[in-house]
Amino acid sequence: FGLNVAKRMPVVGNSFPQWDFDPDFEPANPWAQRAMYAMCSAASDGLSITQATCWIESFRVWVVQNAIGQFPTRTFDHDLLEWYASNAELGQQLWMVGQKMKAMKLDFKTNVSADMESAHMLKYMQLWDSYVASRNGLASVTANTAWHFATSWVGAETEIACQESAGLLVLVSVICCTVSVFLFVRQVFLTCLIIFVAAGSVCGAICFVSFVLGSQMALVEIVALVAFAGHAVTHVLHVALSYGEAYSAHLYGSRSRDQEETKDEPYVEHEVRLGLAQSAVTSLGSTAMSSSGSFVGSCVFLLPCQTQVLSRLGAALIVMTLLSVMFAHIVFPAALIFFGPWLDQSCKKLSGWVAMATTSRIFGHKSRQDDGDAPLISTPA
């Protein structure tokens, strides 16, 4: 009672006070005293209350025995000061400014586990919402703005909000990753293949954290998952670009050769894809392993931390990094071998500006149009 708190804070701009005293709260009013007393005495068994610590009950007994013998009292401020002098422990529930009470609280202990699942905790919080709202509805304007609070409810609301927004965050991340990948590879089928493999690594990370580690997808895991979505695409994209470079070189080198189809064409197609995927993985394997190894090594030091948040974050990052490397260098090359782009007219866009620029400018290779010596991927005769 007696406090107005801000329900939200602005992200930008000047912030307003987080709380202030309720100007309508008048504890000296008899109807306000009845409302404060009823908030404690009318609590039902459905709230699972095991102990209620209410200063207003002790004050009511004191008023009946030592003052005028009637509650509510008409001399509230004077009687409260006399009662306060002999009840210092219960007096901690009062907020005194000068010699008048400006705000107060009532404490309740309940037979509800603080580790209850967030969904069940919110259902229990709704019982308190209904109870407090019903008491405020019956109270006068001098004491009808009471509100309730519990630390467990804050954690439950935060976790539920993160879980509900996780789908939207992942969707936005997937859209951004898809657009970025397409701008690099400029080929629809390969873009879909990259996103599909990256999504597989993300799903694997979720299953590992949920079932193997036995952790719920709480705030820490969701933050790590959103950050990992882009990290998972990065490894696969590097392999795809390396595959594109090798594909571009093979495509330009194959222009001077006869493109007539033969009965062994499916076998040659498979072998060429195998050579392209092998070249892509070989060129990036050591770099990917060294970068991932250094990242995992730095996360290992988070595991023995006494702070549970840090240890959970370290475990999630390690698992997600290892899965992204495995999917990028094992699953994705295998998919390229069986489903990768082939040397037909519809797939020639794969050798777009990224692969050409990387091949000709960064590594100094010259295309066949310059000197007729384009590099080739070795394939069986």
Side-chain angles (χ1 to χ4, degrees):
F1 287 86
L3 289 179
N4 292 326
V5 295
K7 296 182 178 180
R8 60 180 62 89
M9 295 296 292
V11 179
V12 295
N14 297 328
S15 60
F16 44 82
Q18 298 185 13
W19 65 271
D20 59 357
F21 290 112
D22 184 3
D24 296 329
F25 180 57
E26 300 177 7
N29 186 287
W31 288 103
Q33 297 175 44
R34 293 188 180 98
M36 292 185 290
Y37 178 75
M39 183 67 73
C40 185
S41 61
S44 62
D45 296 335
L47 299 176
S48 302
I49 298 175
T50 58
Q51 180 180 352
T53 305
C54 304
W55 70 271
I56 190 68
E57 291 184 338
S58 175
F59 176 73
R60 178 179 180 275
V61 172
W62 184 89
V63 168
V64 172
Q65 294 179 352
N66 300 285
I68 61 176
Q70 183 180 359
F71 181 86
T73 175
R74 299 290 180 175
T75 57
F76 177 81
D77 293 332
H78 177 268
D79 295 339
L80 183 65
L81 291 176
E82 293 188 6
W83 171 87
Y84 185 84
S86 59
N87 294 272
E89 183 176 355
L90 289 176
Q92 295 179 0
Q93 295 181 342
L94 309 181
W95 192 329
M96 305 293 292
V97 176
Q99 294 185 344
K100 292 186 177 182
M101 184 181 74
K102 300 292 292 184
M104 50 80 67
K105 69 174 183 177
L106 305 173
D107 295 330
F108 297 93
K109 291 185 178 180
T110 61
N111 188 23
V112 175
S113 174
D115 298 330
M116 181 188 298
E117 294 184 4
S118 299
H120 295 163
M121 184 65 73
L122 290 185
K123 290 181 179 180
Y124 178 67
M125 185 185 71
Q126 292 174 358
L127 296 178
W128 279 96
D129 290 339
S130 301
Y131 173 70
V132 174
S134 64
R135 298 312 313 174
N136 285 335
L138 297 175
S140 66
V141 294
T142 58
N144 65 345
T145 57
W147 50 277
H148 60 96
F149 170 80
T151 305
S152 299
W153 297 337
V154 177
E157 287 182 323
T158 303
E159 185 172 346
I160 292 296
C162 290
Q163 292 176 355
E164 292 177 350
S165 61
L168 179 60
L169 291 175
V170 172
L171 178 61
V172 173
S173 180
V174 169
I175 294 175
C176 294
C177 291
T178 302
V179 174
S180 302
V181 169
F182 180 77
L183 292 178
F184 276 94
V185 301
R186 303 183 70 177
Q187 212 272 342
V188 177
F189 176 75
L190 190 59
T191 300
C192 295
L193 189 61
I194 292 173
I195 297 301
F196 180 78
V197 174
S201 63
V202 172
C203 293
I206 294 176
C207 293
F208 188 90
V209 172
S210 300
F211 298 105
V212 178
L213 297 182
S215 301
Q216 296 182 351
M217 293 302 296
L219 177 62
V220 176
E221 287 77 13
I222 293 175
V223 171
L225 178 63
V226 173
F228 169 72
H231 188 66
V233 173
T234 301
H235 286 281
V236 184
L237 181 59
H238 283 310
V239 177
L241 291 178
S242 181
Y243 181 90
E245 295 173 12
Y247 180 91
S248 177
H250 187 84
L251 179 62
Y252 287 124
S254 64
R255 284 180 176 177
S256 62
R257 299 195 299 269
D258 187 15
Q259 298 296 323
E260 296 182 357
E261 295 183 358
T262 63
K263 295 182 179 180
D264 296 333
E265 186 64 20
Y267 173 76
V268 175
E269 176 183 343
H270 173 76
E271 292 297 331
V272 172
R273 285 175 174 172
L274 177 61
L276 295 175
Q278 187 176 18
S279 175
V281 174
T282 303
S283 61
L284 295 175
S286 59
T287 304
M289 293 301 175
S290 60
S291 61
S292 301
S294 61
F295 183 77
V296 171
S298 62
C299 293
V300 168
F301 293 97
L302 295 175
L303 298 179
C305 291
Q306 296 297 321
T307 305
Q308 188 177 7
V309 173
L310 295 179
S311 62
R312 289 166 55 190
L313 179 62
L317 290 177
I318 290 175
V319 171
M320 293 176 181
T321 302
L322 295 178
L323 285 176
S324 66
V325 173
M326 182 186 71
F327 272 78
H329 294 272
I330 298 178
V331 178
F332 184 62
L336 289 176
I337 294 173
F338 288 99
F339 310 107
W342 177 238
L343 304 178
D344 53 17
Q345 190 66 27
S346 62
C347 294
K348 289 183 179 180
K349 292 184 179 180
L350 180 65
S351 57
W353 63 272
V354 175
M356 293 175 60
T358 306
T359 305
S360 60
R361 298 178 184 179
I362 298 179
F363 295 99
H365 293 302
K366 296 181 179 180
S367 64
R368 186 175 179 81
Q369 295 176 352
D370 295 333
D371 56 6
D373 294 326
L376 300 177
I377 300 299
S378 60
T379 58

